[in-house]
Amino acid sequence: MLDIASLRADTPGVANVLHFNNAGSSLPPRPVLEAVTGHLQREAAIGGYEAAAEAADRVADVYDAVAALIGAGRDEVAFVENATRAWDMAFYAIPFRRGDRVVTARAEYASNYLAFLQMKQRVGIEIDVVDDDASGQIDVAALDRAIRPQTRLIAITHVPTQGGLVNPAAEVGRIAARHGVLYLLDACQSVGQLAVDVGRIGCHMLSATGRKYLRGPRGTGFLYVRRDTIAALEPPFIDLEAASWIDADTYRIRDDARRFENWERSVAGQIGLGVAVHYAMRVGIDAIEARVKALAAMLRGELAKLPGVTVHDLGAEHCGIVTFRKEGEEPLATRQRLRAMNINVHHTQARSSRLDLPARGLDALVRASVHYYNDEAEVERFLRAVRG
């Protein structure tokens, strides 16, 4: 059982705000804050390059940490500046040809779908959108039927930005394996709040961020690429980190996942991400998942009881994200009203989920997202504030 009081004591930000915007950017724990600021102070004291050399072991540790977190090998992990760029490096490395098909879900994230549209315009791929099942998650039977000889990629979002849905990633992985199709999973919202094991899921590529449920620094993320897939994916661009310059006419790309990296990065951020991953593993991912789901279920259930409040989370499995609307108040207005009371939430808009929210007759929702360091007293305060 988690010691919530100790975890809150290790989170300086809880003294200032009621933070239910963990799906946006979590409050970092003290060790992450100290790791990042400590390295920045060292850069100021002795120089950036010199501080990086001095901290070489801590910089390199992120690969072992992330590998342990998701059940990968360190050579299958790349440090990337954010989840979207990590996803991009995988997607744009696939050698698409005219007529290739990408299969996705209605809950797909805007940036990912924009990439599909660009690739459709650029080379002539086709996009197949699989409908939801009765619960609101991707219909895996329909996905299985959607696979054709021309299908090159299955790309879905594990936990969408606009709701508490958890898509059945492992079931999708079994379908991808049966058909021999590449599988790219956007795990931006799931890593850190759910147990994510790439072997069990069966994805070839997975992207994630540091700033959300991992409680790491902004400007950090990672890409996982399965060892047997790395060589088939040439990065869309390279630099002296991704490749070696052999002579005037020759270069050689790295043979591990770090072929998807850039040389320049936030060294303090990379150190901080490693510390955040270790912190999450010390707390315990299974315990985190149980706590987050329980607290979100409490919030979701109590919100549904409030007069004029409707909850809009879909799916057979839910996570730490809770979406709702209050009658007579636009979601942005709700967010702003709560912010004036030092309560942080987000509002998700149709422009980030064109295939989902409009189909449900929604233009926006308030998004509250809890983490393990939040407590029941905060839930009660939040409910009082929403009630107004």
Side-chain angles (χ1 to χ4, degrees):
M1 188 173 180
L2 297 182
D3 183 349
I4 304 302
S6 296
L7 293 167
R8 287 177 65 79
D10 214 15
T11 305
V14 299
N16 307 316
V17 294
L18 192 168
H19 192 70
F20 281 7
N21 192 16
N22 295 288
S25 185
S26 284
L27 298 179
R30 198 179 309 277
V32 173
L33 179 62
E34 291 173 349
V36 174
T37 57
H39 186 78
L40 291 176
Q41 289 169 346
R42 201 66 188 136
E43 287 186 347
I46 67 171
Y49 282 27
E50 293 73 18
E54 182 180 82
D57 289 345
R58 299 182 74 199
V59 174
D61 180 62
V62 75
Y63 302 102
D64 291 314
V66 170
L69 177 71
I70 64 171
R74 78 185 315 270
D75 61 319
E76 298 175 307
V77 175
F79 173 80
V80 190
E81 60 265 34
N82 57 65
T84 296
R85 187 58 69 237
W87 188 97
D88 287 341
M89 291 300 287
F91 177 76
Y92 285 100
I94 300 170
F96 289 109
R97 295 174 294 182
R98 178 173 295 278
D100 285 347
R101 308 191 78 90
V102 172
V103 179
T104 190
R106 287 203 167 276
E108 191 63 2
Y109 184 54
S111 293
N112 303 349
Y113 204 89
L114 287 169
F116 302 155
L117 292 174
Q118 185 185 50
M119 195 60 70
K120 180 175 183 176
Q121 185 178 72
R122 182 182 291 178
V123 304
I125 68 166
E126 298 296 334
I127 307 166
D128 296 316
V129 179
V130 177
D131 279 328
D132 301 332
D133 66 14
S135 76
Q137 69 182 20
I138 186 172
D139 187 330
V140 291
L143 170 64
D144 198 23
R145 293 192 299 270
I147 306 300
R148 312 183 195 184
Q150 299 83 10
T151 302
R152 191 66 183 275
L153 175 71
I154 298 170
I156 68 162
T157 296
H158 196 185
V159 172
T161 189
Q162 67 273 14
L165 160 72
V166 180
N167 269 315
E171 292 182 54
V172 173
R174 288 191 285 273
I175 291 170
R178 186 161 63 250
H179 292 278
V181 175
L182 286 175
Y183 176 21
L184 170 57
L185 183 66
D186 182 340
C188 185
Q189 298 285 12
S190 57
V191 170
Q193 68 160 318
L194 305 178
V196 173
D197 184 293
V198 293
R200 185 183 69 82
I201 290 171
C203 56
H204 298 85
M205 302 154 283
L206 177 146
S207 58
T209 187
R211 77 176 194 270
K212 295 179 184 281
Y213 278 94
L214 276 176
R215 306 183 67 195
R218 296 199 72 171
T220 65
F222 65 85
L223 173 65
Y224 157 81
V225 182
R226 204 166 77 185
R227 190 172 293 110
D228 63 4
T229 306
I230 293 171
L233 302 178
E234 182 166 334
F237 51 83
I238 56 175
D239 72 352
L240 76 170
E241 177 71 17
S244 299
W245 192 8
I246 306 303
D247 56 39
D249 300 308
T250 312
Y251 68 92
R252 182 180 301 116
I253 299 178
R254 295 182 65 122
D255 60 4
D256 60 8
R258 293 176 66 179
R259 62 172 49 195
F260 300 103
E261 291 188 358
N262 294 314
W263 183 83
E264 179 57 31
R265 80 274 310 275
S266 167
V267 176
Q270 183 164 341
I271 292 170
L273 178 61
V275 172
V277 172
H278 283 299
Y279 192 94
M281 289 191 291
R282 282 197 303 274
V283 174
I285 294 299
D286 290 338
I288 289 172
E289 178 174 337
R291 169 67 179 175
V292 169
K293 285 182 172 179
L295 205 61
M298 174 186 176
L299 176 59
R300 195 176 289 115
E302 293 302 315
L303 278 170
K305 297 176 185 177
L306 295 181
V309 174
T310 52
V311 176
H312 293 274
D313 295 321
L314 302 176
E317 179 184 354
H318 292 148
C319 64
I321 298 174
V322 180
T323 53
F324 66 95
R325 287 185 70 111
K326 184 177 182 184
E327 186 179 6
E329 187 173 58
E330 289 298 314
L332 175 58
T334 304
R335 175 186 178 183
Q336 292 171 335
R337 179 171 63 84
L338 295 174
R339 183 68 193 97
M341 293 183 273
N342 285 332
I343 297 174
N344 295 343
V345 295
H346 189 58
H347 78 293
T348 183
Q349 303 173 70
R351 69 184 182 89
S352 66
S353 54
R354 292 292 185 194
L355 303 183
D356 180 24
L357 291 187
R360 293 194 268 155
L362 299 165
D363 61 346
L365 292 169
V366 183
R367 186 185 73 186
S369 46
V370 300
H371 215 326
Y372 60 81
Y373 62 81
N374 295 124
D375 64 16
E376 288 77 5
E378 287 183 314
V379 172
E380 292 171 5
R381 178 184 161 199
F382 183 80
L383 293 166
R384 290 195 300 270
V386 171
R387 187 185 301 115

